[in-house]
Amino acid sequence: MPKPRKQLISLELTAYYHCTSRCVRRAFLCGKDSATGKNFEHRRQWIEDRILKQAEIFAISVCSYAVLSDHYHVVLHINKAESLRWSKEEVCLRWHQLYKGTPLTQKFLNHEQLSDAEMKAVDAKLEQWRLQLCSISWFMRALNEPIARWANAEDNCTGKFWEARFHSQALLDEKALAACMAYVDLNPVRAKMANTPEDSDHTSIQIRVKELKKSGGQPKALMPFAGNSSESTIEGMPFRLADYLSLVDWTGRIIREDKRGFISENCPPILTRLSIDPDHWLLLSSRFESRFKSLVGCVSKLKQAAAKLGFLRTPGLSPCQALLN
């Protein structure tokens, strides 16, 4: 029996999650509708802008994302410790960038006089918002709701715009994280929307490559690659940027239709470091969603997570054992 989402997201298990949302209508979320001739390509920019804006507001970092014709992917990292460091005023300022708040919180931000009872009510509300600002459910809600409203207004209609709230997968270890990010970043290449990852519009990898060419650094809007955590002074993903870009480029060449199944002899070092068989990598980076269920990681991590979440049987055990162990 499927578990409620609140029982699948546990910071004790992992801070990394892969989320997707898909459009419910016959017409594309983005791109050109062949039936009407209308072009909705600009909606991809709506989603990308919203993702990057929310990364600055929430205590949630964006590791990778890709906006396609009828759905989008985003890999998120929850940083609850960051939200706990925020002052009351910062929590309020951040929330008010998303919503109007309440009359009392507006008075609080304007430094108006509040009674003890009013201040108590404000404190309770701010602690509630603090938790919501490090919640994936609220991140996805704040992302999907305005997009649905804008699209409905543009289409002059009402009703559901998204197929469901969103789907999520917990990424339990470095192997799962690397595979999922490569899967997301190469989505436009597999969909034949772009020839190379850096030419893929509305993707995180295009932003990373542009910033690297421009400044030699990493974009502030995305979670950085920190490399070896014992050697790095920044908080970020446990890979080197150069290794990851090499990995994605190498994988993108392999999954081309005329080279399917071909394994290059020049395997990027990240595969060796993560103990991933190159033959398995192609399956991981091209069929991540179809191969894995809500929990993704090596068998030991998977069993620990299943026990922690109260599963009677370990979900997705066979593919994780075959591809990630």
Side-chain angles (χ1 to χ4, degrees):
M1 183 175 179
K3 290 277 185 183
R5 193 185 324 278
K6 65 181 179 181
Q7 295 181 23
L8 292 175
I9 296 179
S10 169
L11 293 183
E12 294 179 27
L13 298 176
T14 181
Y16 293 97
Y17 292 87
H18 169 222
C19 303
T20 60
S21 277
R22 188 174 297 273
C23 183
V24 76
R25 296 182 191 150
R26 176 197 58 78
F28 278 0
L29 161 66
C30 311
K32 189 173 182 179
D33 184 346
S34 58
T36 63
K38 278 183 148 184
N39 193 318
F40 300 105
E41 188 67 15
H42 57 281
R43 291 180 180 174
R44 295 176 71 194
Q45 191 65 54
W46 288 356
I47 297 171
E48 182 175 30
D49 289 345
R50 189 75 184 182
I51 288 172
L52 297 177
K53 176 184 177 181
Q54 290 186 191
E56 297 177 351
I57 298 172
F58 281 78
I60 294 177
S61 301
V62 176
C63 303
S64 65
Y65 67 85
V67 186
L68 287 91
S69 294
D70 61 351
H71 69 288
Y72 69 85
H73 299 261
V74 62
V75 177
L76 302 172
H77 173 267
I78 305 171
N79 191 346
K80 188 174 182 179
E82 180 188 1
S83 72
L84 295 177
R85 290 193 295 265
W86 293 338
S87 66
K88 294 178 182 180
E89 187 170 3
E90 186 170 1
V91 170
C92 199
L93 282 169
R94 287 174 179 269
W95 189 264
H96 279 221
Q97 291 181 63
L98 295 168
Y99 305 106
K100 289 182 178 180
T102 69
L104 286 180
T105 59
Q106 289 170 5
K107 288 175 69 176
F108 172 76
L109 274 186
N110 292 330
H111 303 288
E112 297 180 28
Q113 186 68 35
L114 294 172
S115 67
D116 290 343
E118 289 174 329
M119 195 63 228
K120 188 175 180 180
V122 167
D123 286 343
K125 182 61 69 176
L126 294 181
E127 288 311 303
Q128 177 187 335
W129 290 349
R130 188 189 300 275
L131 293 177
Q132 290 171 344
L133 285 170
C134 59
S135 162
I136 281 182
S137 290
W138 273 91
F139 185 98
M140 296 299 290
R141 174 178 177 171
L143 174 57
N144 284 349
E145 187 204 11
I147 300 299
R149 283 192 284 103
W150 300 340
N152 279 354
E154 189 174 63
D155 295 340
N156 194 26
C157 68
T158 58
K160 289 182 67 175
F161 182 75
W162 300 105
E163 184 178 68
R165 282 183 61 209
F166 65 95
H167 299 282
S168 67
Q169 293 175 300
L171 308 175
L172 302 177
D173 55 29
E174 294 179 10
K175 297 178 186 180
L177 175 61
C180 186
M181 287 181 61
Y183 169 78
V184 169
D185 282 330
L186 286 168
N187 248 269
V189 175
R190 287 197 308 277
K192 297 184 178 180
M193 297 173 67
N195 293 323
T196 64
E198 62 269 25
D199 291 333
S200 304
D201 293 333
H202 309 292
T203 62
S204 55
I205 195 161
Q206 185 183 64
I207 290 182
R208 291 190 188 278
V209 171
K210 283 182 177 179
E211 187 61 33
L212 188 62
K213 288 180 177 179
K214 179 182 176 183
S215 67
Q218 302 190 52
K220 293 181 180 179
L222 300 175
M223 189 174 190
F225 288 87
N228 188 326
S229 58
S230 64
E231 299 173 1
S232 177
T233 58
I234 63 171
E235 183 177 351
M237 291 173 287
F239 319 120
R240 290 195 312 153
L241 175 60
D243 281 350
Y244 179 73
L245 293 179
S246 297
L247 181 67
V248 172
D249 179 69
W250 173 76
T251 308
R253 296 174 191 275
I254 292 172
I255 64 174
R256 279 169 36 193
E257 189 173 348
D258 60 337
K259 289 190 175 181
R260 188 170 297 280
F262 174 78
I263 301 300
S264 168
E265 295 179 357
N266 301 316
C267 296
I270 193 173
L271 287 187
T272 304
R273 192 165 66 254
L274 296 181
S275 302
I276 299 178
D277 187 320
D279 291 311
H280 291 162
W281 179 257
L282 180 58
L283 287 173
L284 289 173
S285 57
S286 60
R287 302 178 189 175
F288 194 90
E289 283 183 283
S290 61
R291 286 278 174 174
F292 301 112
K293 296 187 181 296
S294 56
L295 303 174
V296 190
C298 65
V299 171
S300 60
K301 293 276 188 179
L302 195 67
K303 289 184 176 179
Q304 289 174 17
K308 179 72 177 177
L309 296 173
F311 281 95
L312 297 178
R313 299 177 61 186
T314 305
L317 181 60
S318 295
C320 287
Q321 190 168 33
L323 299 174
L324 288 172
N325 221 32

